Amino acid sequence: MCGMFLLRRVTDEKYLWVSSVIGAVLHNTGQIMVAVVMLKTAAVFSFFPFLLISGCIAGAFTGICAQILCSRINL
């Protein structure tokens, strides 16, 4: 979330979807790091590519929807 806030401050409003994709990548990275610490094994890194792909798709969809909504309500 902090990464998205920082990115949001430096990006233009028409690139809101970019901060959403970056937020998804940062979220998935955090999930993998916590799983490695909790499970004490690096085997969970095998899930990382799948999480990144699905996270980028979901982040892009969410970001595009948010961008359209913000442009329609003039935020």
Side-chain angles (χ1 to χ4, degrees):
M1 195 158 139
C2 293
M4 285 178 51
F5 281 132
L6 291 173
L7 189 63
R8 181 72 179 111
R9 290 182 179 261
V10 297
T11 57
D12 193 30
E13 191 172 299
K14 60 183 176 178
Y15 297 112
L16 180 63
W17 65 274
V18 174
S19 64
S20 182
V21 171
I22 299 290
V25 169
L26 292 173
H27 175 76
N28 289 332
T29 303
Q31 282 183 322
I32 290 293
M33 299 306 262
V34 168
V36 167
V37 169
M38 297 285 289
L39 299 174
K40 297 182 176 109
T41 180
V44 292
F45 277 113
S46 61
F47 293 106
F48 197 51
F50 302 107
L51 283 175
L52 283 181
I53 292 169
S54 62
C56 286
I57 292 169
F61 177 74
T62 303
I64 289 169
C65 289
Q67 186 171 339
I68 290 169
L69 208 114
C70 286
S71 69
R72 289 192 180 179
I73 60 173
N74 295 325
L75 282 181

